[in-house]
Amino acid sequence: MSVNEQMVQDMVKEVVARLQIDADVSGNAGVFKDMNEAIEAAKKAQKQVHALSMDQREKIISLIRKKTKENAEIIARMGVQETGMGNVGHKILKHHLVAEKTPGTEDITTTAWSGDRGLTLIEMGPFGVIGAITPSTNPSETVICNTIGMLAGGNTVVFNPHPSAIKTSIFAINMVNEASREAGGPDIIACTVEKPTLETSSIMMKHKDISLLVATGGTGVVTTVLSSGKRGIGAGAGNPPALVDETADVRKAAEDIVNGCTFDNNLPCIAEKEIVAVDSIADELMHYMVTEQGCYKISEEEQEKLTATVLTSKGLNRKCVGRSAKTLLSMIGVTVPDNIRCIVFEGEKEHPLIAEELMMPILGMVRAKDFDDAVEKAVWLEHGNRHSAHIHSKNVDNITKYAKAIDTAILVKNAPSYAALGFGGEGYCTFTIASRTGEGLTSASTFTKRRRCVMSDSLCIR
Ligand code: NAD
């Protein structure tokens, strides 16, 4: 294909994405002006969902998976266009991942005890209507992932999405509702409001018909949800360190770390945000990152300029979050070729570009004198989020020591961080990692309550 044909195709895709945005934000069944109306509709729909057989729920979920794959490119383009963050190719992969690996009704299981005194079951029942707050960084991925799990558990969901990703979130909400209708389910399984604000989220948090809150976002929103007086699942911020010790395959560690860090321009909360390397292999690691992995090493002067650009007195400069290394470097007057995908430098752990959760392809490397020192520094950098951490090591004793010390929901060994989401690793996918409240990687069963069902002195047929 010639360059011109490619350009024309790209332009067509842009136009389609724009048309989809304009076409799909208004006049749809799941989108309300008022949060109270959205909750009322979700309450009615939940009665219908609860009456569906597991087989019928699974049919809807299958159609959500199919539609997610069919629309992956459009939603990916829409997300990048609306938020200005991330990378279309990687967002397409994230949508395929969410479609293929988010658990459905198979996650809803029963535990049974049978004996002389009868039969007792623990069943997973729905909470009812769940209020979910979703981030700007993975907006549609989180909406789709949450809806699949919540529906499998017999719930409906009201979303209060991040305002800067509302169109993309509404597109995803319309898509899951369309799947429900086409599969013979309720008109609505997920709702939202046209203009989500802190006020609409406050109405949701206080509403009597919302029985569970699920917050996926930064520290502030999780704290607010956990202070609401309702049951809350808190999927909060991280700042995952990647520790590299002297036993690691250093060349592979460089490749894995840069692949993980640059995925979707570092937007995933699990992505490598800084490196802690033991002294004996630190130079080698930096060498491979710069010579083989498309990293640009910034000088001290450039570090200062970059710090002033990406961090303002009010915190993160949102115009830098999720931007490519090339774009970030252009903001400080540095021009690099297209193959540069990550910015690296060496610094102390307190360096603002290292200690802060930036969500940008910037990797500061902290040097540690030995493994114990590396663990101490990595634990400090994780800030007690208990979210994610990564290690490159062939020493199982070191890995075990690190795992116990850092105590995170996710610990990836010898792979890019995204292996934790089942991408190049075993296990299921989620975009809501309940780091603060301890559920870990959420799935359908997380969105259910345990109900004991007791039959006395009967139905034991042994
Ligand atoms: P954000 O915290 O700015 O926003 C997340 C959501 O919370 C948005 O819908 C926003 O409108 C809402 N919100 C923010 N403050 C609120 C408040 N006080 N009351 C009510 N609602 C509020 O986060 P973001 O920039 O969209 O996403 C990035 C952050 O989310 C990072 O810190 C990242 O680590 C975290 N994150 C965590 C997970 C996880 O699974 N643990 C997943 C994705 C993102």
Side-chain angles (χ1 to χ4, degrees), residues 220-455:
V221 64
V222 172
T223 302
T224 307
V225 158
L226 297 184
S227 315
S228 69
K230 286 191 194 290
R231 165 96 200 273
I233 295 178
N239 191 39
L243 194 160
V244 187
D245 80 5
E246 65 284 0
T247 69
D249 177 340
V250 179
R251 189 175 199 168
K252 179 175 180 297
E255 184 180 358
D256 287 349
I257 292 171
V258 178
N259 282 345
C261 170
T262 54
F263 191 64
D264 207 15
N265 292 345
N266 200 247
L267 287 178
C269 52
I270 58 160
E272 294 82 348
K273 300 286 190 284
E274 64 278 333
I275 297 172
V276 183
V278 298
D279 183 44
S280 55
I281 51 83
D283 292 333
E284 192 186 348
L285 183 68
M286 184 60 86
H287 165 79
Y288 284 128
M289 290 197 296
V290 172
T291 59
E292 295 187 357
Q293 296 305 326
C295 293
Y296 175 85
K297 191 172 176 193
I298 46 172
S299 65
E300 275 187 28
E301 193 192 333
E302 287 163 346
Q303 287 171 39
E304 274 169 34
K305 280 193 196 163
L306 196 60
T307 307
T309 304
V310 307
L311 289 165
T312 68
S313 54
K314 290 185 191 146
L316 272 186
N317 178 354
R318 302 298 301 199
K319 293 203 171 101
C320 296
V321 173
R323 269 43 174 207
S324 68
K326 192 175 159 89
T327 304
L328 293 170
L329 287 167
S330 74
M331 290 177 180
I332 58 163
V334 176
T335 309
V336 291
D338 285 344
N339 68 336
I340 291 300
R341 55 181 183 144
C342 192
I343 300 167
V344 291
F345 65 98
E346 183 174 338
E348 295 300 319
K349 69 180 189 317
E350 294 80 8
H351 193 301
L353 295 181
I354 296 178
E356 293 288 326
E357 185 202 28
L358 299 177
M359 296 177 283
M360 303 166 204
I362 300 174
L363 266 180
M365 183 182 79
V366 179
R367 193 179 289 260
K369 64 178 189 299
D370 54 26
F371 183 73
D372 287 342
D373 185 35
V375 171
E376 205 175 297
K377 289 187 158 91
V379 168
W380 185 89
L381 283 161
E382 214 275 323
H383 303 312
N385 292 318
R386 307 281 196 277
H387 190 300
S388 297
H390 313 298
I391 184 167
H392 296 264
S393 169
K394 292 197 174 150
N395 179 331
V396 286
D397 293 338
N398 279 0
I399 295 174
T400 310
K401 195 185 242 187
Y402 182 52
K404 285 188 179 169
I406 204 147
D407 191 25
T408 44
I410 287 173
L411 179 65
V412 175
K413 295 100 183 158
N414 301 324
S417 49
Y418 44 67
L421 301 185
F423 190 61
E426 293 299 328
Y428 65 90
C429 165
T430 183
F431 279 88
T432 295
I433 296 142
S435 41
R436 279 272 288 277
T437 46
E439 293 85 353
L441 284 89
T442 58
S443 61
S445 59
T446 319
F447 308 121
T448 59
K449 55 188 183 190
R450 303 297 179 266
R451 303 178 68 195
R452 181 175 279 219
C453 170
V454 181
M455 169 61 83

